[in-house]
Amino acid sequence: MNFELTQRQQLVRRSVRKFAEDVLAPVAPIFDKEAKYSEDIVKELSKINAWGIQLPEKYGGAELDSISYAITIEEISRICASTGLMLTVHNSVGAFPIYKWGTEEQKEKYLYDIATGKKISGFSWTEPNAGSDAQGIECIMIQDGEDFILNGSKIFVTNGAIGSVLLIGTRYKKENGQSGIAILILEKDMDGYEIGQPEEKMGMRGNITTSLYFHNIRVPKENVLGSLGEGFRIAMLTLDVGRIGIAAQALGIAQAAYEHAVEYSKGRIQFKRPISQFQGISFKLAEMATKIDAARLLVYRAAYNKDKKERFSKESAMCKYYAGKIAREVTQEAIQIHGGYGYMKDLPLERFHRDAAVTTIYEGTNEIMKLIIAQQILRGNL
Ligand SMILES: Cc1cc2nc3c(=O)[nH]c(=O)nc-3n(C[C@H](O)[C@H](O)[C@H](O)COP(=O)(O)OP(=O)(O)OC[C@H]3O[C@@H](n4cnc5c(N)ncnc54)[C@H](O)[C@@H]3O)c2cc1C
């Protein structure tokens, strides 16, 4: 077992960290306060090839391994979790399925623009009546000659406002009268595609979340991803990949809160001593450090298994479950260590805590992560 990062992975960490500290640190609090993102940042991210982290070079991607991908999301999220969200969704649940299950024509048509950030992508499954119960989607497409006519709506769509290529889950009628599930590649400029108002959110405010409405959209058959009945299976495999990114995001947020807490505890004097010298505080730091290390190992192991083409459903659910959970705990303890100052918006601690909260919810809640882990264990994948 080798726990060392390769030279390339170390270089990725150094360069992405520098980018995040130089470019994102000044804007992260503004994005949060004003609930906005910036086109300039989208362009800056293109310069470091962050839109096609794992896509092949022939499509303009950086063709990095999955650990480098996790490191990139971790480092970006350490400074600006909202930008980390935009990137992880685009790279994992947006770009990856097109690369993995797309036809050559679909790859040629979409991947270059996706890898270079000309088109932002997303994955939209959740509906008002279908959250954790992903099979409950009600969007419906009906065949009409060589096309499908799509109707329905989606909620809570990350990159919904800025995405121009969205993968959406929909039902269709099979010949035997039963319904199946398919994934369609939708483009924002299709007639009948409507973007809802931005949601007012607790955290991740620099990432715009919207609903999407589909009114009789005519979608050519060529826009089906994979084969018709394969939609649900593709979605589940895609989420296995996506969860590594969300876990890396949670890890980055926890790391940021922890670093602030260590620094603050060394400088804050009470009872004529730095508060770090009180065991009540130093033990908190010890717990934070241990949890973060454990989460990092789980995230990198899931990424490693993915690259080795081994099973990683259990591992990705475990890393998402644990990293999200400890991100909530660590950010809360970091506020505690900062005392009243931690509660104020002048410092980023309360932002970290608000941002961390959703990492146990999206791409499958922590309850659903435990279901997946338990199912795997009981099937013999101990
Ligand atoms: C900011 C944000 C961005 C998002 N982005 C996207 C996106 O880009 N694309 C997308 O498709 N979705 C997105 N989502 C949706 C997200 O994936 C869902 O919110 C999530 O899967 C949970 O679904 P729900 O909100 O309907 O909760 P519900 O499924 O209604 O769950 C409510 C509660 O019940 C629990 N629960 C449900 N079923 C079970 C069970 N069987 N056993 C135990 N507990 C259970 C849940 O864990 C949760 O605690 C986003 C959500 C947010 C908040």
Side-chain angles (χ1 to χ4, degrees):
M1 210 180 280
N2 184 357
F3 288 102
E4 273 180 32
L5 296 180
T6 63
Q7 295 233 320
R8 190 158 192 212
Q9 289 161 348
Q10 289 175 36
L11 177 66
V12 168
R13 182 175 312 277
R14 279 198 304 277
S15 53
V16 178
R17 178 167 290 205
K18 178 158 178 19
F19 171 88
E21 289 178 348
D22 291 352
V23 179
L24 293 177
V27 291
I30 302 167
F31 288 179
D32 176 63
K33 187 166 180 210
E34 298 179 8
K36 66 169 196 186
Y37 86 110
S38 125
E39 278 293 340
D40 291 344
I41 293 297
V42 171
K43 289 192 188 113
E44 290 294 327
L45 286 161
S46 304
K47 292 183 192 160
I48 60 160
N49 220 342
W51 295 108
I53 301 171
Q54 294 201 263
L55 288 177
E57 285 173 5
K58 78 165 181 169
Y59 298 115
E63 210 169 327
L64 294 176
D65 64 8
S66 296
I67 292 182
S68 301
Y69 166 69
I71 290 171
T72 302
I73 302 301
E74 178 187 343
E75 289 299 331
I76 297 282
S77 303
R78 175 176 164 268
I79 300 297
C80 181
S82 292
T83 303
L85 176 58
M86 177 165 65
L87 275 181
T88 186
V89 163
H90 170 92
N91 274 279
S92 63
V93 292
F96 166 77
I98 299 182
Y99 174 60
K100 172 91 179 157
W101 291 283
T103 59
E104 257 328 299
E105 292 71 37
Q106 288 169 342
K107 291 183 196 182
E108 290 294 329
K109 183 167 178 195
Y110 297 110
L111 286 186
Y112 182 78
D113 284 349
I114 283 178
T116 50
K118 289 200 182 83
K119 286 190 172 158
I120 307 298
S121 64
F123 174 90
S124 171
W125 201 272
T126 308
E127 298 179 4
N129 295 320
S132 300
D133 182 6
Q135 298 221 17
I137 54 170
E138 293 166 347
C139 270
I140 179 88
M141 64 179 195
I142 305 218
Q143 192 156 355
D144 184 39
E146 287 302 295
D147 303 328
F148 290 103
I149 306 294
L150 175 73
N151 279 287
S153 64
K154 297 286 179 186
I155 56 168
F156 303 159
V157 189
T158 298
N159 297 347
I162 59 167
S164 28
V165 180
L166 268 290
L167 304 185
I168 67 117
T170 178
R171 306 202 82 85
Y172 68 97
K173 273 244 164 65
K174 293 184 191 168
E175 279 174 6
N176 64 9
Q178 292 180 337
S179 78
I181 290 181
I183 294 181
L184 284 181
I185 307 174
L186 285 195
E187 293 172 49
K188 167 166 148 178
D189 51 12
M190 286 173 161
D191 280 346
Y193 185 102
E194 183 192 342
I195 300 171
Q197 289 302 308
E199 299 290 348
E200 248 319 316
K201 302 199 299 291
M202 167 184 174
M204 298 291 172
R205 290 171 51 78
N207 186 286
I208 317 300
T209 312
T210 55
S211 297
L212 294 177
Y213 304 96
F214 313 132
H215 311 285
N216 289 315
I217 305 187
R218 181 169 286 278
V219 188
K221 263 185 180 168
E222 298 81 66
N223 283 39
V224 173
L225 186 70
S227 61
L228 262 186
E230 239 191 334
F232 192 72
R233 191 182 76 88
I234 292 179
M236 294 304 107
L237 294 172
T238 295
L239 287 170
D240 285 346
V241 175
R243 285 171 190 143
I244 297 175
I246 301 298
Q249 180 191 44
L251 179 59
I253 301 169
Q255 177 72 28
Y258 160 71
E259 287 174 18
H260 276 80
V262 172
E263 274 315 299
Y264 186 81
S265 71
K266 290 198 285 194
R268 174 67 174 168
I269 309 292
Q270 287 295 283
F271 302 96
K272 300 193 174 57
R273 291 199 257 165
I275 59 170
S276 58
Q277 290 183 11
F278 302 121
Q279 199 178 64
I281 296 297
S282 65
F283 275 18
K284 285 189 196 300
L285 298 174
E287 279 183 25
M288 290 160 113
T290 308
K291 287 174 179 175
I292 289 171
D293 243 26
R296 184 168 287 117
L297 289 171
L298 284 174
V299 174
Y300 293 0
R301 185 196 49 180
Y304 176 76
N305 281 14
K306 171 175 172 266
D307 282 351
K308 274 184 49 183
K309 315 243 179 292
E310 286 181 1
R311 281 201 291 201
F312 67 99
S313 297
K314 183 179 84 174
E315 287 74 13
S316 81
M318 278 181 166
C319 76
K320 165 141 187 333
Y321 160 72
Y322 189 70
K325 174 175 136 65
I326 68 107
R328 281 185 165 212
E329 293 165 358
V330 167
T331 53
Q332 188 163 3
E333 284 294 55
I335 291 175
Q336 191 67 20
I337 290 172
H338 283 74
Y341 298 100
Y343 198 67
M344 301 297 151
K345 281 189 179 274
D346 298 340
L347 294 182
L349 282 308
E350 59 83 37
R351 164 162 62 93
F352 298 152
H353 193 49
R354 286 185 285 107
D355 285 347
V358 77
T359 63
T360 60
I361 295 174
Y362 51 31
E363 296 202 16
T365 64
N366 266 21
E367 290 75 18
I368 298 301
M369 291 309 98
K370 285 196 239 179
L371 276 182
I372 294 171
I373 297 163
Q375 276 166 1
Q376 290 281 329
I377 293 168
L378 297 172
R379 276 183 204 151
N381 180 12
L382 302 178

